Structures are given as C-alpha cells and as structure tokens.
Amino acid sequence: RQLVKTASVESSRARSDSKTSAMSQSCRGLPRSAFSATDRAYATYEARMLQPCAFFSKRLMKVAINGHASFSCSAVSTGSDPELFAKKSASSANLPSKPIRGRVLTVVEQDSLSPFAYPKALRDVHPDNASWAEVMGHMAQRLEWEDLGLHMDVFTDAHVAEEGGDAAFAAAAEQADLFLFIGIQRPETAHGLAAATMGVPTGLALDCCDELQSASRLLYQPTLPLLKEAAKLLPWSAANKDAQLIATATELFQRGNPNDLLYMVLVLLNACVTPVASAAETPKDLGVILCMVKNCRKEVVGCVQDPECKAALDCLESCGLNDQVCSYRCIVSHESPLFEKFSLCNLQIHNCLNNHAERPMFPDVQPMSSFRGQALTSEVAEQLFVGWMQPDDEFASNQTLEWSWKVVCGVNPAYDYFPCQHQIFYHLKGGKSFWYDPVFQVTT
C-alpha cells in the first residue's frame, strides 16, 4: 500500500501542470450613509452581480440597506455558466507556480442540484439550490488556496462519453490521483466513467448509482461491505483504518457544510496521496496527558469533578472529526467558570494539544484604496463600519438605528451564520478607541 501511495505521489510530481485563467468578481456592501438616492439603484438585485458566493468564503456578508439589498463577497470562478466548470479547472491566474503533488478528478451529474441553498434574501433571484458543477468549481479554487500543490479538475457527466470522454477529460483521468463522483444516477454514463477511471488509485462515489458506488476504492483496494466485516473482526488491521477513513469522508460529505466538503477532499488526499498539513490529525499521545498533568492539574481535576464542566468535555469528545459546529454548540451549551479555566490553561496558555493556525496567504484580497473617487482613509473606513448608527446629513431626518450592520446570511454556524445577528462599530468618547460588538443568538 505504501509503495502504491509513493508511486502515485512520484507520478503526480512528474506530470505537467496546465494552468487556466479565472475570472474574478467582487462586490461590496456599503452602509446606508454611503448611498445617495440615485446610488440606491445599485443596491437592488441584479442577476449578473449575485453569483453564489455563499458556500466558499467566510468573507460573505449580506446586509440590508435602506430596504434594498447589497451583496458583500469576494468571488473567483471560471464563469457564471456551469458549462465552464465542466471544461476547465478553477485555477487563479495570480497564484504562484508550484509543483502539483495531488490531482483530483471530480465528475458531477449535469444540472444536478447540491444541498447548498442560496440565502433566503436571494431566493427571488435564485429559487433553486446551487448546482454541483458550480459548487465543486468553487471547491477547486479553494483547494488551491489551501495548498498550491493540490489541483482539482471538474467535469459533468455530459462531457464523458462511453469510450472515455473527450480529450480534456481523458487527460485529467490519466493524471488523477483521486476521483470523486457526486450525485451521478444516470446508468448510461456510469459504465463509461468507471472504465475511464480504472487507473486512478483512490476514489469515492457519493450519492451515485450502484455501479459507481462499487467503484469506490482506497489505493486500489475496493471499499466493499466485506471491508466493513473485516474491520470488525480485525480492529488493528489496515481494513479497519480504511473503513474509518471511508466513514469519516462520508460523514463530512453528509454534513452539508462547504468547509466540511473541502475538508473531506483534504482528508482523502492526506490519507492516500500526499501529506496535507491542514488535514493531519492532532495526536492524542502521552505528551498531551503529561502537559495537562504538569501544567493544568488543578484545572483538570476541578473540571472532571464538576458535572457541568464534565458534560462539556463529554460533549466535545462525542463530536466528529473537525466538526466545528458541534464543538461550538458544546461550548456554549455548557459554559461555566471551571470550563473557562480548563480551556484557558490547556488550550491557550500551554497549548497542550499543540494546535496552531497559520494565517492563510491566499486568496490575496487587497483592500479598497479609494471610495467614491477619493482616497479611502482610516477615518472614512471607520465611518463605513459605523454605518447606520451615524447617518450623514442627507439622512439626518431619518432615525439613527441602534446597530451598524444587519447580517442576514453567513457560511458556517460556528462562525458567522447566527440568527438575530447585528454588529455595532463605535468610537468611545474622545475618539481614541474604536470598538466592535457582535450581537447574535446561539442555538444550544
């Protein structure tokens, strides 16, 4: 197995990297005070501006502006036509060149819809969910942002003929280290897909017909029901490890969260193709226990002996791999002074779990340098943040509201997708300090 994995990595490194250009689209929401009566026309819905950014960037924020809507996002895609996602990968022309260590071939059923819905405020423009072609096109871009050595090609089954598909698909299949089939139910294309990807070492079919489901494999080892039985009988075996990997990938996919969807791809690549730092699990070894006992003995004992604090630990232990939503809900459901002390000592002060989070380098989004034809100074930027709480003279007759921004959609329930959410930006008296207060409701 290790030989197959090593050979796959070396083969991938030797392949040429084809670059395709990407089209960039960005739109920013502005506070009510930034809009004149004429300008407000730009805050109405326009289909050409409302590309589905909701499933690939935490930067997304939908705000209400004087009864209209403005969209704030940074999007990079190969175009609004899903056909473009099927014909070329979603690479950014501005990313630096780096040898490709892992290639993913993704095939989705043409016109099939994903579980990713548009925000409610956009349903009049986009009543249906986003297509899988569009979603995976964004995932291809995010994969490169995560690691420049990773690459994904996205096709629809309409571009795959019975004899192996068109030239672009055949080339991608020949170079792929991992295939993903998503939502393909048409039996007339299943046989051709399975035959065209026979040389790909690892692959997973998700929500597909039986023929493609049976084609799933890890380093050429089929993921059949027999594997699960072997895993039960031999819990220390490679079969058990493979079964756990398949279960983890399936769980991540079924969560219906864009971050978990990306993490699923990273986990599969890390396990079967090439090391991926962001998908490597933190080991729960003796060093972790020694760190906690040595530095946080009092906090550990106090937490374990307290029912509410112990319930928080048990809840966190029950969460699945990288399930940030579950972890966040456990924390807010069992908040207590003892749990706060436990977390502060073990996680923040001594970092016993050896967690680390590096600042992402991509996408390299540059801040605005001008606003309405003038330089965007710190003072103007802060006024934009203050927003509705401080209307300009044009809106002096209007009532000043108690919040700066209303946030009505987000990406991840553990980060920004909270109900009843608004944000407050304000200066303290004297103007020397600038403060931010988020207000939101949490589901426990």
Side-chain angles (χ1 to χ4, degrees), residues 12 23 27 31 49 52 77 133 172 200 234 266 295 319 367 395 397 402 433:
S12 176
M23 183 171 65
C27 43
M49 295 179 63
S77 72
V200 182
L234 304 171
L266 296 174
N295 301 299
C319 291
F395 296 97
S397 59
E402 297 181 354
S433 299

Side-chain angles (χ1 to χ4, degrees), residues 17 25 47-48 51 71 77 83 85 136 141 149 152 238 252 291 296 321 325 333 345 374 411:
D17 179 27
Q25 169 200 349
R48 63 180 178 83
Q51 298 302 321
F71 208 53
S77 72
E83 293 292 319
F85 289 107
M136 296 311 296
Q141 180 67 85
M152 177 185 290
L252 289 170
C291 175
C296 306
L321 176 66
V325 175
S333 299
C345 183
Q374 298 181 359
V411 176

Side-chain angles (χ1 to χ4, degrees), residues 143-341:
L143 188 65
E144 290 194 12
W145 287 342
E146 186 72 28
D147 189 324
L148 294 177
L150 305 177
H151 180 83
M152 177 185 290
D153 293 297
V154 181
F155 296 83
T156 69
D157 62 341
H159 294 84
V160 183
E162 287 291 334
E163 298 301 324
D166 59 22
F169 173 79
E174 182 180 356
Q175 298 183 30
D177 304 294
L178 166 69
F179 70 74
L180 293 173
F181 300 149
I182 301 178
I184 299 176
Q185 297 293 336
R186 297 185 179 121
E188 60 270 20
T189 60
H191 182 71
L193 274 176
T197 55
M198 287 183 61
V200 182
T202 300
L204 191 61
L206 300 157
D207 291 343
C208 294
C209 60
D210 291 341
E211 182 173 357
L212 292 181
Q213 294 288 157
S214 63
S216 296
R217 53 184 175 269
L218 299 176
L219 297 174
Y220 296 111
Q221 299 297 316
T223 60
L224 300 173
L226 184 61
L227 175 67
K228 297 181 179 180
E229 296 301 321
K232 294 178 182 179
L233 296 174
L234 304 171
W236 60 86
S237 65
N240 183 59
K241 185 178 180 180
D242 290 347
Q244 290 180 355
L245 176 60
I246 293 297
T248 296
T250 304
E251 178 193 347
L252 289 170
F253 177 80
Q254 291 175 344
R255 287 179 191 171
N257 181 289
N259 293 331
D260 288 326
L261 180 60
L262 174 63
Y263 194 64
M264 178 199 73
V265 180
L266 296 174
V267 166
L268 290 171
L269 287 168
N270 180 69
C272 301
V273 180
T274 183
V276 180
S278 57
E281 291 189 64
T282 302
K284 299 179 181 179
D285 55 15
L286 185 59
V288 174
I289 299 176
L290 292 177
C291 175
M292 298 174 67
V293 172
K294 177 182 177 181
N295 301 299
C296 306
R297 181 193 300 266
K298 179 181 178 180
E299 290 77 8
V300 172
V301 173
C303 184
V304 173
Q305 292 180 343
D306 179 75
E308 189 65 24
C309 192
K310 179 63 164 54
L313 297 180
D314 293 339
C315 183
L316 289 170
E317 184 66 24
S318 67
C319 291
L321 176 66
N322 198 48
D323 194 342
Q324 299 163 341
V325 175
C326 176
S327 298
Y328 184 80
R329 287 179 176 170
C330 288
I331 293 172
V332 298
S333 299
H334 302 283
E335 287 182 299
S336 69
L338 286 174
F339 184 70
E340 181 179 351
K341 293 179 181 179

Side-chain angles (χ1 to χ4, degrees), residues 371-444:
F371 174 66
R372 302 187 69 145
Q374 298 181 359
L376 182 58
T377 63
S378 297
E379 291 75 16
V380 174
E382 290 184 356
Q383 183 183 5
L384 293 177
F385 275 117
V386 173
W388 288 54
M389 292 187 68
Q390 186 178 309
D392 57 18
D393 293 339
E394 182 180 351
F395 296 97
S397 59
N398 291 357
Q399 179 183 1
T400 299
L401 301 178
E402 297 181 354
W403 36 263
S404 301
W405 294 91
K406 278 284 188 181
V407 184
V408 298
C409 79
V411 176
N412 191 320
Y415 291 119
D416 59 1
Y417 193 31
F418 303 111
C420 306
Q421 182 182 179
H422 61 265
Q423 299 173 340
I424 302 173
F425 295 88
Y426 59 96
H427 291 97
L428 290 182
K429 292 183 179 180
K432 295 183 178 180
S433 299
F434 191 58
W435 288 75
Y436 162 62
D437 289 340
V439 181
F440 52 88
Q441 182 184 38
V442 176
T443 302
T444 61

